[in-house]
Amino acid sequence: MEQMKRRHQKSVSYFFLRSKDVHIENDSAVITFFARLTREIFLGREEEPKVETVWVKIDEVRLDRASPKEKAMPNCMQRYEIPQNVFYHLYQMSKSCPKELFYVSPYSRHFTREDFIT
């Protein structure tokens, strides 16, 4: 009985992912910004989590029209495991000023970064 209980225990992890990448499109350098809020729901230890995207935003700007702040950002993907209250705060922020999430570095439990080759 105790084993069955453990097998059906649910846990939820919250993530914020953002990235910036510069690439060439139609002979012009373009910056692509990406941000996403997801929940990963684990139903059991051996099962793959169910990934639920709650919010996502993609934006592109030509490099010659980008602000100094946009140009200075690193070309990379950053993934933050965040507490539930930070997740909901970012979700609320996404409703009123979604582009700001491209620049946010939230409080996180765990952080990974993967640099893009330029």
Side-chain angles (χ1 to χ4, degrees):
M1 183 72 152
E2 186 65 33
Q3 254 185 341
M4 283 180 66
K5 262 187 178 179
R6 270 191 239 141
R7 207 177 301 148
H8 296 291
Q9 286 180 340
K10 181 170 95 170
S11 68
V12 181
S13 296
Y14 299 89
F15 296 92
F16 171 65
L17 181 134
R18 71 169 185 191
S19 67
K20 174 203 166 201
D21 190 26
V22 178
H23 59 282
I24 303 298
E25 192 173 290
N26 297 327
D27 296 324
S28 296
V30 176
I31 301 174
T32 299
F33 295 100
F34 177 81
R36 179 175 66 194
L37 290 167
T38 58
R39 281 190 285 244
E40 291 186 5
I41 303 164
F42 295 86
L43 299 172
R45 288 181 184 241
E46 288 95 37
E47 293 182 35
E48 289 292 315
K50 176 185 171 194
V51 178
E52 213 175 72
T53 297
V54 175
W55 173 85
V56 66
K57 176 91 173 142
I58 300 171
D59 195 22
E60 289 190 332
V61 63
R62 284 187 24 191
L63 186 61
D64 61 353
R65 295 189 178 160
S67 71
K69 180 180 180 178
E70 292 170 328
K71 291 177 184 177
M73 291 176 62
N75 290 340
C76 67
M77 180 176 62
Q78 298 167 319
R79 186 172 188 252
Y80 302 85
E81 182 177 359
I82 55 179
Q84 182 180 18
N85 64 327
V86 174
F87 179 86
Y88 286 117
H89 178 75
L90 292 176
Y91 179 66
Q92 291 303 315
M93 190 175 163
S94 74
K95 293 177 181 181
S96 58
C97 43
K99 286 187 177 188
E100 289 303 311
L101 269 69
F102 295 138
Y103 313 106
V104 169
S105 295
Y107 168 77
S108 62
R109 293 183 175 132
H110 187 287
F111 166 77
T112 58
R113 174 179 166 155
E114 184 177 324
D115 290 329
F116 296 136
I117 299 171
T118 54

